[in-house]
Amino acid sequence: NNFNQNNAELNFKIGKCYIKSTSQEKALDYLLKAQKLNPFVDPEIDYYIGRAYHYQLKFDEAIKSYEKYKNRLSPK
């Protein structure tokens, strides 16, 4: 890949594009890298990570990410 791999926003955008493509399985690595570089890269990072896990049939991880996203939207 010919891009700045340590740019959280760019990793997030690439992962988001893969989620919306026919190659959803490629999204997770980019999204996890973006989150590792900057946990607040985007308010929807946990949602997209949840979707990426969901597409890989990793339902427990998907649920955890969806819950984290939900809690961020409406803190208890």
PDB file of all heavy atoms in Angstrom, residues 25-63:
ATOM      1  N   GLU A  25     -14.388  -8.158   3.879  1.00  0.00           N
ATOM      2  CA  GLU A  25     -13.438  -8.860   4.740  1.00  0.00           C
ATOM      3  C   GLU A  25     -12.133  -8.078   4.916  1.00  0.00           C
ATOM      4  O   GLU A  25     -11.397  -8.305   5.869  1.00  0.00           O
ATOM      5  CB  GLU A  25     -13.153 -10.266   4.201  1.00  0.00           C
ATOM      6  CG  GLU A  25     -12.328 -10.317   2.931  1.00  0.00           C
ATOM      7  CD  GLU A  25     -13.079 -10.007   1.631  1.00  0.00           C
ATOM      8  OE1 GLU A  25     -14.315  -9.856   1.670  1.00  0.00           O
ATOM      9  OE2 GLU A  25     -12.423  -9.899   0.579  1.00  0.00           O
ATOM     10  N   LYS A  26     -11.849  -7.140   4.020  1.00  0.00           N
ATOM     11  CA  LYS A  26     -10.615  -6.354   4.106  1.00  0.00           C
ATOM     12  C   LYS A  26     -10.740  -5.162   5.057  1.00  0.00           C
ATOM     13  O   LYS A  26      -9.745  -4.553   5.419  1.00  0.00           O
ATOM     14  CB  LYS A  26     -10.215  -5.849   2.721  1.00  0.00           C
ATOM     15  CG  LYS A  26      -9.852  -6.965   1.765  1.00  0.00           C
ATOM     16  CD  LYS A  26      -9.455  -6.414   0.424  1.00  0.00           C
ATOM     17  CE  LYS A  26      -9.099  -7.522  -0.540  1.00  0.00           C
ATOM     18  NZ  LYS A  26      -8.730  -6.997  -1.855  1.00  0.00           N
ATOM     19  N   ALA A  27     -11.945  -4.837   5.467  1.00  0.00           N
ATOM     20  CA  ALA A  27     -12.190  -3.622   6.254  1.00  0.00           C
ATOM     21  C   ALA A  27     -11.628  -3.691   7.663  1.00  0.00           C
ATOM     22  O   ALA A  27     -11.110  -2.700   8.180  1.00  0.00           O
ATOM     23  CB  ALA A  27     -13.686  -3.333   6.313  1.00  0.00           C
ATOM     24  N   LEU A  28     -11.727  -4.837   8.313  1.00  0.00           N
ATOM     25  CA  LEU A  28     -11.424  -4.942   9.732  1.00  0.00           C
ATOM     26  C   LEU A  28     -10.011  -4.481  10.082  1.00  0.00           C
ATOM     27  O   LEU A  28      -9.822  -3.723  11.031  1.00  0.00           O
ATOM     28  CB  LEU A  28     -11.662  -6.370  10.237  1.00  0.00           C
ATOM     29  CG  LEU A  28     -11.529  -6.561  11.746  1.00  0.00           C
ATOM     30  CD1 LEU A  28     -12.521  -5.684  12.503  1.00  0.00           C
ATOM     31  CD2 LEU A  28     -11.725  -8.018  12.103  1.00  0.00           C
ATOM     32  N   ASP A  29      -9.022  -4.917   9.333  1.00  0.00           N
ATOM     33  CA  ASP A  29      -7.636  -4.544   9.645  1.00  0.00           C
ATOM     34  C   ASP A  29      -7.451  -3.025   9.629  1.00  0.00           C
ATOM     35  O   ASP A  29      -6.797  -2.467  10.503  1.00  0.00           O
ATOM     36  CB  ASP A  29      -6.663  -5.198   8.664  1.00  0.00           C
ATOM     37  CG  ASP A  29      -6.529  -6.700   8.890  1.00  0.00           C
ATOM     38  OD1 ASP A  29      -6.849  -7.168  10.004  1.00  0.00           O
ATOM     39  OD2 ASP A  29      -6.114  -7.401   7.952  1.00  0.00           O
ATOM     40  N   TYR A  30      -8.017  -2.360   8.628  1.00  0.00           N
ATOM     41  CA  TYR A  30      -7.886  -0.903   8.536  1.00  0.00           C
ATOM     42  C   TYR A  30      -8.610  -0.201   9.682  1.00  0.00           C
ATOM     43  O   TYR A  30      -8.098   0.752  10.262  1.00  0.00           O
ATOM     44  CB  TYR A  30      -8.428  -0.403   7.193  1.00  0.00           C
ATOM     45  CG  TYR A  30      -7.561  -0.795   6.028  1.00  0.00           C
ATOM     46  CD1 TYR A  30      -7.876  -1.882   5.227  1.00  0.00           C
ATOM     47  CD2 TYR A  30      -6.399  -0.086   5.728  1.00  0.00           C
ATOM     48  CE1 TYR A  30      -7.085  -2.249   4.160  1.00  0.00           C
ATOM     49  CE2 TYR A  30      -5.589  -0.448   4.665  1.00  0.00           C
ATOM     50  CZ  TYR A  30      -5.933  -1.532   3.887  1.00  0.00           C
ATOM     51  OH  TYR A  30      -5.129  -1.889   2.841  1.00  0.00           O
ATOM     52  N   LEU A  31      -9.790  -0.690  10.009  1.00  0.00           N
ATOM     53  CA  LEU A  31     -10.570  -0.063  11.071  1.00  0.00           C
ATOM     54  C   LEU A  31      -9.905  -0.248  12.436  1.00  0.00           C
ATOM     55  O   LEU A  31      -9.838   0.690  13.234  1.00  0.00           O
ATOM     56  CB  LEU A  31     -11.991  -0.623  11.081  1.00  0.00           C
ATOM     57  CG  LEU A  31     -12.809  -0.274   9.837  1.00  0.00           C
ATOM     58  CD1 LEU A  31     -14.087  -1.088   9.798  1.00  0.00           C
ATOM     59  CD2 LEU A  31     -13.110   1.219   9.779  1.00  0.00           C
ATOM     60  N   LEU A  32      -9.392  -1.442  12.692  1.00  0.00           N
ATOM     61  CA  LEU A  32      -8.706  -1.683  13.960  1.00  0.00           C
ATOM     62  C   LEU A  32      -7.430  -0.854  14.062  1.00  0.00           C
ATOM     63  O   LEU A  32      -7.098  -0.332  15.128  1.00  0.00           O
ATOM     64  CB  LEU A  32      -8.403  -3.174  14.139  1.00  0.00           C
ATOM     65  CG  LEU A  32      -9.617  -4.072  14.365  1.00  0.00           C
ATOM     66  CD1 LEU A  32      -9.196  -5.532  14.399  1.00  0.00           C
ATOM     67  CD2 LEU A  32     -10.364  -3.686  15.637  1.00  0.00           C
ATOM     68  N   LYS A  33      -6.724  -0.702  12.948  1.00  0.00           N
ATOM     69  CA  LYS A  33      -5.510   0.124  12.934  1.00  0.00           C
ATOM     70  C   LYS A  33      -5.870   1.580  13.217  1.00  0.00           C
ATOM     71  O   LYS A  33      -5.210   2.253  14.006  1.00  0.00           O
ATOM     72  CB  LYS A  33      -4.809  -0.009  11.580  1.00  0.00           C
ATOM     73  CG  LYS A  33      -3.630   0.903  11.363  1.00  0.00           C
ATOM     74  CD  LYS A  33      -2.360   0.304  11.868  1.00  0.00           C
ATOM     75  CE  LYS A  33      -1.201   1.233  11.569  1.00  0.00           C
ATOM     76  NZ  LYS A  33       0.056   0.576  11.443  1.00  0.00           N
ATOM     77  N   ALA A  34      -6.942   2.063  12.600  1.00  0.00           N
ATOM     78  CA  ALA A  34      -7.380   3.446  12.828  1.00  0.00           C
ATOM     79  C   ALA A  34      -7.720   3.656  14.292  1.00  0.00           C
ATOM     80  O   ALA A  34      -7.315   4.652  14.903  1.00  0.00           O
ATOM     81  CB  ALA A  34      -8.592   3.766  11.944  1.00  0.00           C
ATOM     82  N   GLN A  35      -8.437   2.703  14.880  1.00  0.00           N
ATOM     83  CA  GLN A  35      -8.835   2.820  16.286  1.00  0.00           C
ATOM     84  C   GLN A  35      -7.609   2.779  17.208  1.00  0.00           C
ATOM     85  O   GLN A  35      -7.553   3.497  18.197  1.00  0.00           O
ATOM     86  CB  GLN A  35      -9.807   1.714  16.652  1.00  0.00           C
ATOM     87  CG  GLN A  35     -10.369   1.862  18.054  1.00  0.00           C
ATOM     88  CD  GLN A  35     -11.319   0.750  18.395  1.00  0.00           C
ATOM     89  OE1 GLN A  35     -10.990  -0.418  18.210  1.00  0.00           O
ATOM     90  NE2 GLN A  35     -12.495   1.111  18.871  1.00  0.00           N
ATOM     91  N   LYS A  36      -6.645   1.947  16.858  1.00  0.00           N
ATOM     92  CA  LYS A  36      -5.428   1.851  17.675  1.00  0.00           C
ATOM     93  C   LYS A  36      -4.645   3.164  17.623  1.00  0.00           C
ATOM     94  O   LYS A  36      -4.138   3.633  18.636  1.00  0.00           O
ATOM     95  CB  LYS A  36      -4.563   0.694  17.168  1.00  0.00           C
ATOM     96  CG  LYS A  36      -3.298   0.488  17.962  1.00  0.00           C
ATOM     97  CD  LYS A  36      -2.503  -0.688  17.435  1.00  0.00           C
ATOM     98  CE  LYS A  36      -1.212  -0.840  18.220  1.00  0.00           C
ATOM     99  NZ  LYS A  36      -0.347  -1.874  17.666  1.00  0.00           N
ATOM    100  N   LEU A  37      -4.571   3.763  16.447  1.00  0.00           N
ATOM    101  CA  LEU A  37      -3.844   5.019  16.291  1.00  0.00           C
ATOM    102  C   LEU A  37      -4.552   6.176  16.987  1.00  0.00           C
ATOM    103  O   LEU A  37      -3.915   7.059  17.543  1.00  0.00           O
ATOM    104  CB  LEU A  37      -3.653   5.342  14.807  1.00  0.00           C
ATOM    105  CG  LEU A  37      -2.710   4.430  14.039  1.00  0.00           C
ATOM    106  CD1 LEU A  37      -2.833   4.661  12.545  1.00  0.00           C
ATOM    107  CD2 LEU A  37      -1.270   4.660  14.499  1.00  0.00           C
ATOM    108  N   ASN A  38      -5.889   6.173  16.910  1.00  0.00           N
ATOM    109  CA  ASN A  38      -6.675   7.248  17.518  1.00  0.00           C
ATOM    110  C   ASN A  38      -8.073   6.728  17.826  1.00  0.00           C
ATOM    111  O   ASN A  38      -8.916   6.661  16.932  1.00  0.00           O
ATOM    112  CB  ASN A  38      -6.749   8.453  16.584  1.00  0.00           C
ATOM    113  CG  ASN A  38      -7.600   9.572  17.153  1.00  0.00           C
ATOM    114  OD1 ASN A  38      -8.106   9.485  18.266  1.00  0.00           O
ATOM    115  ND2 ASN A  38      -7.758  10.624  16.376  1.00  0.00           N
ATOM    116  N   PRO A  39      -8.353   6.352  19.080  1.00  0.00           N
ATOM    117  CA  PRO A  39      -9.665   5.795  19.434  1.00  0.00           C
ATOM    118  C   PRO A  39     -10.834   6.735  19.123  1.00  0.00           C
ATOM    119  O   PRO A  39     -11.964   6.299  19.038  1.00  0.00           O
ATOM    120  CB  PRO A  39      -9.559   5.562  20.940  1.00  0.00           C
ATOM    121  CG  PRO A  39      -8.112   5.556  21.248  1.00  0.00           C
ATOM    122  CD  PRO A  39      -7.444   6.403  20.209  1.00  0.00           C
ATOM    123  N   PHE A  40     -10.544   8.015  18.933  1.00  0.00           N
ATOM    124  CA  PHE A  40     -11.598   8.999  18.649  1.00  0.00           C
ATOM    125  C   PHE A  40     -11.511   9.516  17.216  1.00  0.00           C
ATOM    126  O   PHE A  40     -11.949  10.630  16.939  1.00  0.00           O
ATOM    127  CB  PHE A  40     -11.514  10.147  19.657  1.00  0.00           C
ATOM    128  CG  PHE A  40     -11.591   9.674  21.075  1.00  0.00           C
ATOM    129  CD1 PHE A  40     -10.452   9.573  21.845  1.00  0.00           C
ATOM    130  CD2 PHE A  40     -12.801   9.280  21.633  1.00  0.00           C
ATOM    131  CE1 PHE A  40     -10.511   9.109  23.152  1.00  0.00           C
ATOM    132  CE2 PHE A  40     -12.879   8.810  22.936  1.00  0.00           C
ATOM    133  CZ  PHE A  40     -11.730   8.727  23.691  1.00  0.00           C
ATOM    134  N   VAL A  41     -10.963   8.701  16.331  1.00  0.00           N
ATOM    135  CA  VAL A  41     -10.789   9.113  14.937  1.00  0.00           C
ATOM    136  C   VAL A  41     -12.121   9.521  14.300  1.00  0.00           C
ATOM    137  O   VAL A  41     -12.168  10.431  13.488  1.00  0.00           O
ATOM    138  CB  VAL A  41     -10.090   8.011  14.103  1.00  0.00           C
ATOM    139  CG1 VAL A  41     -10.933   6.752  14.020  1.00  0.00           C
ATOM    140  CG2 VAL A  41      -9.747   8.515  12.718  1.00  0.00           C
ATOM    141  N   ASP A  42     -13.197   8.844  14.680  1.00  0.00           N
ATOM    142  CA  ASP A  42     -14.524   9.151  14.148  1.00  0.00           C
ATOM    143  C   ASP A  42     -15.550   8.631  15.143  1.00  0.00           C
ATOM    144  O   ASP A  42     -15.363   7.557  15.706  1.00  0.00           O
ATOM    145  CB  ASP A  42     -14.712   8.469  12.783  1.00  0.00           C
ATOM    146  CG  ASP A  42     -15.978   8.898  12.089  1.00  0.00           C
ATOM    147  OD1 ASP A  42     -17.050   8.324  12.411  1.00  0.00           O
ATOM    148  OD2 ASP A  42     -15.924   9.797  11.238  1.00  0.00           O
ATOM    149  N   PRO A  43     -16.650   9.361  15.340  1.00  0.00           N
ATOM    150  CA  PRO A  43     -17.658   8.906  16.303  1.00  0.00           C
ATOM    151  C   PRO A  43     -18.273   7.550  15.956  1.00  0.00           C
ATOM    152  O   PRO A  43     -18.828   6.883  16.814  1.00  0.00           O
ATOM    153  CB  PRO A  43     -18.726  10.006  16.254  1.00  0.00           C
ATOM    154  CG  PRO A  43     -18.093  11.165  15.594  1.00  0.00           C
ATOM    155  CD  PRO A  43     -16.961  10.654  14.762  1.00  0.00           C
ATOM    156  N   GLU A  44     -18.166   7.144  14.692  1.00  0.00           N
ATOM    157  CA  GLU A  44     -18.781   5.886  14.260  1.00  0.00           C
ATOM    158  C   GLU A  44     -17.797   4.726  14.146  1.00  0.00           C
ATOM    159  O   GLU A  44     -18.141   3.671  13.625  1.00  0.00           O
ATOM    160  CB  GLU A  44     -19.492   6.097  12.926  1.00  0.00           C
ATOM    161  CG  GLU A  44     -20.654   7.073  13.039  1.00  0.00           C
ATOM    162  CD  GLU A  44     -21.444   7.190  11.757  1.00  0.00           C
ATOM    163  OE1 GLU A  44     -20.859   7.059  10.666  1.00  0.00           O
ATOM    164  OE2 GLU A  44     -22.655   7.402  11.858  1.00  0.00           O
ATOM    165  N   ILE A  45     -16.582   4.885  14.659  1.00  0.00           N
ATOM    166  CA  ILE A  45     -15.570   3.831  14.511  1.00  0.00           C
ATOM    167  C   ILE A  45     -16.039   2.490  15.073  1.00  0.00           C
ATOM    168  O   ILE A  45     -15.868   1.459  14.430  1.00  0.00           O
ATOM    169  CB  ILE A  45     -14.202   4.257  15.125  1.00  0.00           C
ATOM    170  CG1 ILE A  45     -13.116   3.200  14.858  1.00  0.00           C
ATOM    171  CG2 ILE A  45     -14.304   4.525  16.614  1.00  0.00           C
ATOM    172  CD1 ILE A  45     -12.649   3.127  13.452  1.00  0.00           C
ATOM    173  N   ASP A  46     -16.661   2.500  16.233  1.00  0.00           N
ATOM    174  CA  ASP A  46     -17.110   1.235  16.832  1.00  0.00           C
ATOM    175  C   ASP A  46     -18.224   0.589  16.018  1.00  0.00           C
ATOM    176  O   ASP A  46     -18.302  -0.636  15.918  1.00  0.00           O
ATOM    177  CB  ASP A  46     -17.555   1.452  18.279  1.00  0.00           C
ATOM    178  CG  ASP A  46     -16.397   1.837  19.173  1.00  0.00           C
ATOM    179  OD1 ASP A  46     -15.384   1.114  19.147  1.00  0.00           O
ATOM    180  OD2 ASP A  46     -16.497   2.851  19.874  1.00  0.00           O
ATOM    181  N   TYR A  47     -19.078   1.392  15.416  1.00  0.00           N
ATOM    182  CA  TYR A  47     -20.141   0.868  14.555  1.00  0.00           C
ATOM    183  C   TYR A  47     -19.534   0.126  13.359  1.00  0.00           C
ATOM    184  O   TYR A  47     -19.925  -1.001  13.054  1.00  0.00           O
ATOM    185  CB  TYR A  47     -21.046   2.002  14.077  1.00  0.00           C
ATOM    186  CG  TYR A  47     -22.010   1.570  13.006  1.00  0.00           C
ATOM    187  CD1 TYR A  47     -23.127   0.804  13.324  1.00  0.00           C
ATOM    188  CD2 TYR A  47     -21.791   1.901  11.676  1.00  0.00           C
ATOM    189  CE1 TYR A  47     -24.001   0.380  12.342  1.00  0.00           C
ATOM    190  CE2 TYR A  47     -22.668   1.484  10.691  1.00  0.00           C
ATOM    191  CZ  TYR A  47     -23.769   0.729  11.020  1.00  0.00           C
ATOM    192  OH  TYR A  47     -24.625   0.308  10.039  1.00  0.00           O
ATOM    193  N   TYR A  48     -18.574   0.756  12.701  1.00  0.00           N
ATOM    194  CA  TYR A  48     -17.974   0.124  11.524  1.00  0.00           C
ATOM    195  C   TYR A  48     -17.141  -1.099  11.891  1.00  0.00           C
ATOM    196  O   TYR A  48     -17.113  -2.086  11.147  1.00  0.00           O
ATOM    197  CB  TYR A  48     -17.166   1.136  10.706  1.00  0.00           C
ATOM    198  CG  TYR A  48     -18.068   2.031   9.905  1.00  0.00           C
ATOM    199  CD1 TYR A  48     -18.343   3.323  10.295  1.00  0.00           C
ATOM    200  CD2 TYR A  48     -18.699   1.556   8.753  1.00  0.00           C
ATOM    201  CE1 TYR A  48     -19.205   4.131   9.569  1.00  0.00           C
ATOM    202  CE2 TYR A  48     -19.555   2.346   8.021  1.00  0.00           C
ATOM    203  CZ  TYR A  48     -19.802   3.631   8.430  1.00  0.00           C
ATOM    204  OH  TYR A  48     -20.663   4.419   7.701  1.00  0.00           O
ATOM    205  N   ILE A  49     -16.476  -1.060  13.034  1.00  0.00           N
ATOM    206  CA  ILE A  49     -15.751  -2.250  13.489  1.00  0.00           C
ATOM    207  C   ILE A  49     -16.753  -3.372  13.759  1.00  0.00           C
ATOM    208  O   ILE A  49     -16.511  -4.526  13.395  1.00  0.00           O
ATOM    209  CB  ILE A  49     -14.889  -1.937  14.732  1.00  0.00           C
ATOM    210  CG1 ILE A  49     -13.712  -1.058  14.323  1.00  0.00           C
ATOM    211  CG2 ILE A  49     -14.408  -3.221  15.399  1.00  0.00           C
ATOM    212  CD1 ILE A  49     -12.866  -0.550  15.472  1.00  0.00           C
ATOM    213  N   GLY A  50     -17.885  -3.043  14.357  1.00  0.00           N
ATOM    214  CA  GLY A  50     -18.942  -4.032  14.570  1.00  0.00           C
ATOM    215  C   GLY A  50     -19.408  -4.652  13.266  1.00  0.00           C
ATOM    216  O   GLY A  50     -19.566  -5.873  13.168  1.00  0.00           O
ATOM    217  N   ARG A  51     -19.621  -3.816  12.276  1.00  0.00           N
ATOM    218  CA  ARG A  51     -20.045  -4.340  10.965  1.00  0.00           C
ATOM    219  C   ARG A  51     -18.975  -5.238  10.362  1.00  0.00           C
ATOM    220  O   ARG A  51     -19.282  -6.277   9.783  1.00  0.00           O
ATOM    221  CB  ARG A  51     -20.370  -3.197  10.009  1.00  0.00           C
ATOM    222  CG  ARG A  51     -21.718  -2.580  10.321  1.00  0.00           C
ATOM    223  CD  ARG A  51     -22.186  -1.582   9.319  1.00  0.00           C
ATOM    224  NE  ARG A  51     -22.356  -2.151   7.998  1.00  0.00           N
ATOM    225  CZ  ARG A  51     -22.648  -1.416   6.919  1.00  0.00           C
ATOM    226  NH1 ARG A  51     -22.800  -0.114   7.031  1.00  0.00           N
ATOM    227  NH2 ARG A  51     -22.792  -1.981   5.744  1.00  0.00           N
ATOM    228  N   ALA A  52     -17.719  -4.828  10.493  1.00  0.00           N
ATOM    229  CA  ALA A  52     -16.625  -5.632   9.927  1.00  0.00           C
ATOM    230  C   ALA A  52     -16.563  -7.004  10.607  1.00  0.00           C
ATOM    231  O   ALA A  52     -16.413  -8.028   9.929  1.00  0.00           O
ATOM    232  CB  ALA A  52     -15.295  -4.891  10.079  1.00  0.00           C
ATOM    233  N   TYR A  53     -16.689  -7.025  11.934  1.00  0.00           N
ATOM    234  CA  TYR A  53     -16.738  -8.315  12.634  1.00  0.00           C
ATOM    235  C   TYR A  53     -17.964  -9.106  12.201  1.00  0.00           C
ATOM    236  O   TYR A  53     -17.894 -10.325  12.000  1.00  0.00           O
ATOM    237  CB  TYR A  53     -16.787  -8.106  14.151  1.00  0.00           C
ATOM    238  CG  TYR A  53     -15.453  -7.870  14.803  1.00  0.00           C
ATOM    239  CD1 TYR A  53     -15.252  -6.773  15.637  1.00  0.00           C
ATOM    240  CD2 TYR A  53     -14.387  -8.752  14.636  1.00  0.00           C
ATOM    241  CE1 TYR A  53     -14.036  -6.555  16.268  1.00  0.00           C
ATOM    242  CE2 TYR A  53     -13.173  -8.544  15.259  1.00  0.00           C
ATOM    243  CZ  TYR A  53     -13.000  -7.449  16.069  1.00  0.00           C
ATOM    244  OH  TYR A  53     -11.786  -7.253  16.688  1.00  0.00           O
ATOM    245  N   HIS A  54     -19.073  -8.440  12.048  1.00  0.00           N
ATOM    246  CA  HIS A  54     -20.326  -9.082  11.635  1.00  0.00           C
ATOM    247  C   HIS A  54     -20.137  -9.783  10.288  1.00  0.00           C
ATOM    248  O   HIS A  54     -20.517 -10.945  10.123  1.00  0.00           O
ATOM    249  CB  HIS A  54     -21.397  -8.002  11.547  1.00  0.00           C
ATOM    250  CG  HIS A  54     -22.783  -8.509  11.403  1.00  0.00           C
ATOM    251  ND1 HIS A  54     -23.874  -7.784  11.770  1.00  0.00           N
ATOM    252  CD2 HIS A  54     -23.288  -9.667  10.914  1.00  0.00           C
ATOM    253  CE1 HIS A  54     -24.979  -8.459  11.525  1.00  0.00           C
ATOM    254  NE2 HIS A  54     -24.639  -9.606  11.005  1.00  0.00           N
ATOM    255  N   TYR A  55     -19.526  -9.092   9.323  1.00  0.00           N
ATOM    256  CA  TYR A  55     -19.295  -9.682   8.004  1.00  0.00           C
ATOM    257  C   TYR A  55     -18.366 -10.887   8.071  1.00  0.00           C
ATOM    258  O   TYR A  55     -18.427 -11.768   7.226  1.00  0.00           O
ATOM    259  CB  TYR A  55     -18.732  -8.653   7.027  1.00  0.00           C
ATOM    260  CG  TYR A  55     -19.759  -7.658   6.538  1.00  0.00           C
ATOM    261  CD1 TYR A  55     -19.516  -6.301   6.605  1.00  0.00           C
ATOM    262  CD2 TYR A  55     -20.967  -8.080   6.001  1.00  0.00           C
ATOM    263  CE1 TYR A  55     -20.452  -5.384   6.160  1.00  0.00           C
ATOM    264  CE2 TYR A  55     -21.906  -7.171   5.561  1.00  0.00           C
ATOM    265  CZ  TYR A  55     -21.642  -5.830   5.634  1.00  0.00           C
ATOM    266  OH  TYR A  55     -22.565  -4.920   5.188  1.00  0.00           O
ATOM    267  N   GLN A  56     -17.506 -10.924   9.087  1.00  0.00           N
ATOM    268  CA  GLN A  56     -16.590 -12.061   9.243  1.00  0.00           C
ATOM    269  C   GLN A  56     -17.189 -13.143  10.140  1.00  0.00           C
ATOM    270  O   GLN A  56     -16.504 -14.082  10.526  1.00  0.00           O
ATOM    271  CB  GLN A  56     -15.246 -11.581   9.796  1.00  0.00           C
ATOM    272  CG  GLN A  56     -14.475 -10.746   8.810  1.00  0.00           C
ATOM    273  CD  GLN A  56     -13.050 -10.480   9.244  1.00  0.00           C
ATOM    274  OE1 GLN A  56     -12.558 -11.040  10.222  1.00  0.00           O
ATOM    275  NE2 GLN A  56     -12.369  -9.633   8.518  1.00  0.00           N
ATOM    276  N   LEU A  57     -18.459 -12.986  10.481  1.00  0.00           N
ATOM    277  CA  LEU A  57     -19.203 -13.941  11.307  1.00  0.00           C
ATOM    278  C   LEU A  57     -18.624 -14.071  12.715  1.00  0.00           C
ATOM    279  O   LEU A  57     -18.796 -15.083  13.375  1.00  0.00           O
ATOM    280  CB  LEU A  57     -19.283 -15.314  10.626  1.00  0.00           C
ATOM    281  CG  LEU A  57     -19.830 -15.316   9.201  1.00  0.00           C
ATOM    282  CD1 LEU A  57     -19.850 -16.723   8.641  1.00  0.00           C
ATOM    283  CD2 LEU A  57     -21.202 -14.676   9.123  1.00  0.00           C
ATOM    284  N   LYS A  58     -17.977 -13.014  13.182  1.00  0.00           N
ATOM    285  CA  LYS A  58     -17.441 -12.975  14.546  1.00  0.00           C
ATOM    286  C   LYS A  58     -18.463 -12.193  15.382  1.00  0.00           C
ATOM    287  O   LYS A  58     -18.269 -11.024  15.709  1.00  0.00           O
ATOM    288  CB  LYS A  58     -16.068 -12.312  14.556  1.00  0.00           C
ATOM    289  CG  LYS A  58     -15.034 -13.118  13.780  1.00  0.00           C
ATOM    290  CD  LYS A  58     -13.685 -12.445  13.777  1.00  0.00           C
ATOM    291  CE  LYS A  58     -12.674 -13.304  13.021  1.00  0.00           C
ATOM    292  NZ  LYS A  58     -11.358 -12.678  12.964  1.00  0.00           N
ATOM    293  N   PHE A  59     -19.544 -12.868  15.708  1.00  0.00           N
ATOM    294  CA  PHE A  59     -20.698 -12.198  16.290  1.00  0.00           C
ATOM    295  C   PHE A  59     -20.461 -11.662  17.692  1.00  0.00           C
ATOM    296  O   PHE A  59     -20.958 -10.587  18.042  1.00  0.00           O
ATOM    297  CB  PHE A  59     -21.917 -13.117  16.246  1.00  0.00           C
ATOM    298  CG  PHE A  59     -22.283 -13.520  14.846  1.00  0.00           C
ATOM    299  CD1 PHE A  59     -22.271 -14.843  14.471  1.00  0.00           C
ATOM    300  CD2 PHE A  59     -22.622 -12.569  13.900  1.00  0.00           C
ATOM    301  CE1 PHE A  59     -22.598 -15.219  13.167  1.00  0.00           C
ATOM    302  CE2 PHE A  59     -22.947 -12.920  12.599  1.00  0.00           C
ATOM    303  CZ  PHE A  59     -22.934 -14.256  12.235  1.00  0.00           C
ATOM    304  N   ASP A  60     -19.705 -12.364  18.522  1.00  0.00           N
ATOM    305  CA  ASP A  60     -19.435 -11.875  19.879  1.00  0.00           C
ATOM    306  C   ASP A  60     -18.674 -10.546  19.832  1.00  0.00           C
ATOM    307  O   ASP A  60     -19.012  -9.605  20.549  1.00  0.00           O
ATOM    308  CB  ASP A  60     -18.652 -12.900  20.695  1.00  0.00           C
ATOM    309  CG  ASP A  60     -19.498 -14.119  21.054  1.00  0.00           C
ATOM    310  OD1 ASP A  60     -20.739 -14.013  21.051  1.00  0.00           O
ATOM    311  OD2 ASP A  60     -18.903 -15.176  21.336  1.00  0.00           O
ATOM    312  N   GLU A  61     -17.655 -10.486  18.976  1.00  0.00           N
ATOM    313  CA  GLU A  61     -16.889  -9.254  18.833  1.00  0.00           C
ATOM    314  C   GLU A  61     -17.754  -8.150  18.239  1.00  0.00           C
ATOM    315  O   GLU A  61     -17.660  -6.986  18.631  1.00  0.00           O
ATOM    316  CB  GLU A  61     -15.647  -9.477  17.950  1.00  0.00           C
ATOM    317  CG  GLU A  61     -14.600 -10.365  18.575  1.00  0.00           C
ATOM    318  CD  GLU A  61     -14.773 -11.844  18.214  1.00  0.00           C
ATOM    319  OE1 GLU A  61     -15.892 -12.258  17.847  1.00  0.00           O
ATOM    320  OE2 GLU A  61     -13.789 -12.583  18.318  1.00  0.00           O
ATOM    321  N   ALA A  62     -18.612  -8.518  17.283  1.00  0.00           N
ATOM    322  CA  ALA A  62     -19.505  -7.536  16.659  1.00  0.00           C
ATOM    323  C   ALA A  62     -20.434  -6.928  17.702  1.00  0.00           C
ATOM    324  O   ALA A  62     -20.604  -5.699  17.766  1.00  0.00           O
ATOM    325  CB  ALA A  62     -20.309  -8.190  15.534  1.00  0.00           C
ATOM    326  N   ILE A  63     -21.010  -7.769  18.537  1.00  0.00           N
ATOM    327  CA  ILE A  63     -21.935  -7.284  19.571  1.00  0.00           C
ATOM    328  C   ILE A  63     -21.214  -6.333  20.525  1.00  0.00           C
ATOM    329  O   ILE A  63     -21.752  -5.276  20.878  1.00  0.00           O
ATOM    330  CB  ILE A  63     -22.576  -8.464  20.327  1.00  0.00           C
ATOM    331  CG1 ILE A  63     -23.559  -9.194  19.407  1.00  0.00           C
ATOM    332  CG2 ILE A  63     -23.271  -7.991  21.599  1.00  0.00           C
ATOM    333  CD1 ILE A  63     -24.039 -10.525  19.936  1.00  0.00           C
TER     334      ILE A  63
END
